[in-house]
Amino acid sequence: MSSKIFDYSAICKTILALDPKIRFAGVINERGRLVAGGMKENVEPLENEKDDEMIFMELALRVKMRKEFDKQLGPVNFALASRERALAISFLVNDDILYVVSEPDADYGILPKKILKIIHS
């Protein structure tokens, strides 16, 4: 992705409004820190704040590791993890990570494509 300037707060708000099953939309920097967005209002978090920090740092590390194969396979469009209690999707935006978490029964065939359209518009 180019070094286009993104309004991360606006992107996160748009994504939170995209689907009622979306619980969280945030932007994580390459050091694993939340820089924009967050939990949807009136949604109970599945983990505590300390767990969030660990999840974000682990996500930043995983994204860096995935870049190792960009030359051979091309850049990652998005990565998806389907868990028992949540669906987690990450997108690279410049050097940052857009991290979206939804209810586990969200449509993982359509949701990432809708989010990519928002990012690229």
Side-chain angles (χ1 to χ4, degrees), residues 88-101:
I89 314 167
S90 60
F91 307 82
L92 194 59
V93 181
N94 289 339
D95 290 328
D96 299 312
I97 305 152
L98 172 62
Y99 185 55
V100 179
V101 179

Side-chain angles (χ1 to χ4, degrees), residues 46-57:
L46 296 173
E47 69 286 331
N48 63 40
E49 202 171 313
K50 197 70 173 163
D51 288 339
D52 280 344
E53 291 175 15
M54 292 299 292
I55 289 169
F56 298 159
M57 286 189 287

